[in-house]
Amino acid sequence: MTDSYGRNIDYLRVSLTDRCDLRCTYCMPKCGVDNIPHKEILTLEETARIVRIMAGLGVKKLRITGGEPLIRRNVTGFVRLVSDITGIEDICMTSNGTRLSEYASQLKAAGLHRINISLDTTHRDVFSKITGTDMLGKVLEGIDAAYDAGFPIKINCVPMKGVNDKDLDSVALLAKERPIDVRFIELMPIGCGKEHTGIRSDTVLHQLEENFGKAEPYERTDMSSPAEYYRFSGFCGNIGFISPMSHKFCRYCDRARLTSNGFLKLCLQYPDGADLKTPLRSGCSDDDLSEMILAAVRKKPLQHSFSDTDMTDDRKMVQIGG
Ligand code: SAM
Ligand code: SF4
């Protein structure tokens, strides 16, 4: 499946819900969002059907996200469903970690390969300010549980001026004793992200080098992976930087997103895409759905332009699926 710029689209990020047990200030408004009514949300079987059709068109890698995916009932069953789909080689999840101590071993047994866990601070008071909850302890337990279950783990941290900028060293230290990668992601001006000021990756790298010494860059082999990795002496894991603002990686973009109500979205910034729920529920065949998916993929925008124009998609990150 290629878009009109010749990019091979083989990575699908599937949001299973727009609900979340945290209220990260840069992702979700304090008062929450108007949740999509349950009947509008695709069933796990409907979502798995779209995944199967897209696997037939060349999707190999799947990420399960949300909202918080572990809020959705029977996520483990969904992992089992998609791990049986021919062509899907890699199944990952992005989670806030609050429920991982309960689910990690079941997810491993069901066929999940890897987990990314979001953590912006290791300080309880800052965590409460960012997420509106006192669940840091549960997230740290979740990281331990995922590690004990044998998952490769990446920690994702979004640095923000005046919020968690003093905590980045302590988040990076999660990569010291265990082979866990810690990645710093530049804040994007999506939804509530516009209300905060992000920090450039090179600034974060310099800040870490002041504490941990010179970082050694890793040669990037997979151009579709947006992260650039470094290694600090004495660390078991790597430190990565994802820099959508300072170093656009759109020309290597290989992904599409499916929202929990069945909208296929081709770029984080723009609202363009295809509603797959309506045709799916009105009896369309797999072949018809394949045609709609291919037509939408052909219209994938060349790149985001967060820095020059206003966002045109009103959805918040929690509704899109990060
Ligand atoms: N609830 C899960 C979690 O937090 O990992 C999955 C969904 S969340 C939307 C996915 C990722 O998007 C998180 O790592 C979060 O930090 C990131 N994110 C949310 N809003 C963002 C923004 N405006 N800019 C950059 N990353 C953002
Ligand atoms: Fe929830 Fe994840 Fe958004 Fe935080 S970043 S509010 S955990 S969806």
Side-chain angles (χ1 to χ4, degrees):
M1 189 162 47
T2 49
D3 71 3
S4 58
Y5 302 99
R7 293 172 296 193
N8 182 29
I9 309 304
D10 61 2
Y11 178 15
L12 179 65
R13 297 170 80 110
V14 170
S15 172
L16 291 185
T17 178
D18 61 338
R19 280 127 172 111
C20 188
D21 52 348
L22 302 186
R23 290 280 177 278
C24 302
T25 51
Y26 57 90
C27 177
M28 196 182 316
K30 249 201 191 94
C31 55
V33 288
D34 285 338
N35 287 139
I36 299 170
H38 281 292
K39 63 177 184 342
E40 300 292 322
I41 290 189
L42 296 187
T43 65
L44 297 178
E45 290 72 20
E46 286 172 330
T47 307
R49 179 176 169 205
I50 294 178
V51 173
R52 185 167 43 72
I53 293 170
M54 291 189 71
L57 297 173
V59 164
K60 296 189 173 70
K61 182 172 161 189
L62 192 69
R63 176 169 302 281
I64 301 167
T65 182
E68 173 48 37
L70 293 176
I71 291 281
R72 181 80 190 255
R73 207 176 300 151
N74 200 17
V75 180
T76 312
F78 180 73
V79 172
R80 249 184 256 113
L81 276 180
V82 291
S83 57
D84 279 344
I85 293 176
T86 308
I88 297 295
E89 297 168 359
D90 190 21
I91 309 172
C92 330
M93 178 177 286
T94 299
S95 166
N96 63 27
T98 58
R99 296 182 177 208
L100 270 175
S101 55
E102 200 180 322
Y103 287 110
S105 50
Q106 295 174 39
L107 289 167
K108 183 77 180 160
L112 189 73
H113 298 128
R114 299 183 290 119
I115 301 189
N116 290 2
I117 302 168
S118 304
L119 182 64
D120 299 319
T121 177
T122 56
H123 293 112
R124 195 170 160 190
D125 53 336
V126 181
F127 185 91
S128 299
K129 270 192 199 130
I130 296 174
T131 68
T133 74
D134 188 22
M135 293 176 90
L136 174 64
K138 286 304 291 175
V139 177
L140 296 174
E141 268 176 39
I143 295 173
D144 290 345
Y147 185 77
D148 292 343
F151 282 111
I153 298 173
K154 292 188 177 116
I155 305 288
N156 288 338
C157 170
V158 179
M160 289 166 284
K161 272 193 191 138
V163 179
N164 61 347
D165 41 3
K166 297 201 167 51
D167 303 351
L168 307 180
D169 292 353
S170 62
V171 177
L173 280 172
L174 292 169
K176 184 144 201 250
E177 307 295 342
R178 297 187 283 192
I180 291 177
D181 291 348
V182 173
R183 306 183 316 166
F184 294 96
I185 304 177
E186 286 178 347
L187 180 76
M188 291 175 281
I190 299 173
C192 313
K194 290 182 214 164
E195 292 157 24
H196 290 279
T197 309
I199 307 179
R200 282 176 61 109
S201 295
D202 48 5
T203 308
V204 177
L205 176 61
H206 288 143
Q207 186 178 319
L208 298 180
E209 284 186 321
E210 277 175 18
N211 234 332
F212 304 127
K214 186 93 189 108
E216 284 303 319
Y218 251 48
E219 181 102 18
R220 201 199 296 219
T221 47
D222 176 5
M223 289 314 286
S224 68
S225 160
E228 282 192 86
Y229 283 102
Y230 291 79
R231 178 62 77 92
F232 283 103
S233 167
F235 277 57
C236 294
N238 302 308
I239 301 294
F241 295 92
I242 301 183
S243 317
M245 304 306 293
S246 61
H247 291 92
K248 243 185 227 185
F249 38 79
C250 303
R251 83 185 138 117
Y252 302 111
C253 185
D254 58 355
R255 62 197 62 184
R257 292 178 157 82
L258 183 68
T259 63
S260 56
N261 57 346
F263 186 82
L264 187 69
K265 190 168 158 58
L266 281 315
C267 175
L268 263 181
Q269 180 173 19
Y270 301 104
D272 310 58
D275 164 30
L276 299 180
K277 173 174 58 58
T278 308
L280 181 134
R281 290 191 174 168
S282 47
C284 260
S285 68
D286 286 2
D287 285 349
D288 290 343
L289 285 164
S290 294
E291 281 309 316
M292 287 170 208
I293 292 165
L294 288 172
V297 164
R298 277 194 290 273
K299 290 197 190 140
K300 181 174 166 72
L302 175 61
Q303 56 188 344
H304 76 70
S305 44
F306 288 139
S307 26
D308 352 300
T309 60
D310 276 345
M311 287 287 300
T312 47
D313 195 334
D314 291 335
R315 296 179 184 95
K316 309 282 182 285
M317 199 67 168
V318 67
Q319 298 165 312
I320 298 170

